[in-house]
Amino acid sequence: AQSVTQLDSQVPVFEEAPVELRCNYSSSVSVYLFWYVQYPNQGLQLLLKYLSGSTLVKSINGFEAEFNKSQTSFHLRKPSVHISDTAEYFCAVSDKSFQKLVFGTGTRLLVSP
Amino acid sequence: DTAVSQTPKYLVTQMGNDKSIKCEQNLGHDTMYWYKQDSKKFLKIMFSYNNKELIINETVPNRFSPKSPDKAHLNLHINSLELGDSAVYFCASLPQRGARETQYFGPGTRLLVL
């Protein structure tokens, strides 16, 4: 079985500041890792994924995450946030067979001017 | 073109009623899922079908019954609705089980039980 821990329920940050949203996972098998973003009253959008290969993955809007197997982490970072990044961010893992997604409890990123 | 669609988008109903939520994907995917997001935003898988066969059935009350008439559709029927069923229900699809791929999510159905 897999589990995901997002320790920060809310992260307030000023516009143009850097941010890191933490994600740790637990699994007895190798997994795929994901970050999803949910804007207010909207559905889930895939932000980043690690399936294999390079441990550093990047999105088109400036986010990046690094898979660290030894620390079982997949932290999300952005060097300079915008107001429009305000949203709920979910880290998720899935096994490679049935691929059911197990989600963390989410981190609400609040970007203020 | 909507890849994964859900109907209805919003559903308000009384306790004790029976309701259905429909999901359709036009991606030719083999595997489909239902997830529930509760009022605290916690997301949890409910069911998964692969080529119309149930492959994942998490600890969900018997009042919830998924049905897959074909591999492009996965519907969710809920009997005797309770207040605690109020949530957002997301459908998702995956090209095929075991593939190195990601799930595509629908827009969600917001269910409110009064």
Side-chain angles (χ1 to χ4, degrees):
Chain A
Q2 293 82 43
S3 67
V4 177
T5 302
Q6 291 181 251
L7 286 173
D8 305 307
S9 59
Q10 188 165 290
V11 173
V13 64
F14 289 111
E15 196 174 17
E16 297 183 8
V19 72
E20 178 180 83
L21 306 184
R22 295 179 293 169
C23 172
N24 288 90
Y25 70 93
S26 171
S27 177
S28 56
V29 299
S30 58
V31 294
Y32 297 138
L33 293 152
F34 307 87
W35 276 100
Y36 284 87
V37 59
Q38 186 176 33
Y39 297 101
N41 297 315
Q42 293 192 25
L44 291 163
Q45 297 177 31
L46 179 68
L47 188 61
L48 290 168
K49 61 185 178 186
Y50 171 77
L51 303 179
S52 67
S54 173
T55 55
L56 181 65
V57 290
K58 300 184 179 186
S59 73
I60 57 173
N61 56 354
F63 283 95
E64 64 179 37
E66 185 155 22
F67 168 51
N68 187 320
K69 189 174 181 179
S70 62
Q71 295 186 4
T72 60
S73 68
F74 192 54
H75 301 328
L76 181 69
R77 300 182 183 94
K78 188 169 185 180
S80 175
V81 294
H82 300 133
I83 298 280
S84 59
D85 292 324
T86 294
E88 193 88 25
Y89 290 80
F90 293 94
C91 181
V93 300
S94 76
D95 65 284
K96 294 184 178 181
S97 177
F98 290 93
Q99 291 178 275
K100 68 174 189 179
L101 285 165
V102 175
F103 287 88
T105 48
T107 297
R108 183 164 175 75
L109 177 63
L110 287 166
V111 183
S112 53
Chain B
D1 287 343
T2 304
V4 182
S5 60
Q6 293 180 228
T7 53
K9 190 172 180 180
Y10 298 96
L11 183 55
V12 181
T13 188
Q14 299 288 330
M15 249 181 11
N17 284 350
D18 303 337
K19 290 293 178 186
S20 290
I21 305 171
K22 296 185 177 182
C23 177
E24 177 182 2
Q25 53 94 3
N26 61 5
L27 299 165
H29 290 176
D30 286 347
T31 308
M32 296 182 73
Y33 304 80
W34 276 112
Y35 292 87
K36 177 181 178 181
Q37 185 175 41
D38 64 22
S39 58
K40 295 183 179 178
K41 302 277 189 183
F42 186 61
L43 278 151
K44 192 172 177 4
I45 189 165
M46 301 175 72
F47 302 102
S48 178
Y49 271 73
N50 186 66
N51 274 324
K52 302 193 298 176
E53 179 188 352
L54 181 66
I55 57 171
I56 295 174
N57 187 350
E58 294 291 295
T59 309
V60 178
N62 290 338
R63 300 181 294 103
F64 289 80
S65 53
K67 284 187 173 50
S68 182
D70 55 63
K71 75 174 192 177
H73 295 84
L74 180 60
N75 304 323
L76 184 64
H77 188 76
I78 315 170
N79 289 324
S80 303
L81 278 155
E82 299 177 357
L83 294 176
D85 298 332
S86 295
V88 183
Y89 293 85
F90 287 102
C91 176
S93 73
L94 182 73
Q96 61 183 100
R97 190 160 60 95
R100 196 179 294 170
E101 273 283 358
T102 57
Q103 293 180 27
Y104 292 72
F105 278 83
T109 294
R110 284 152 182 79
L111 171 65
L112 178 60
V113 182
L114 302 174

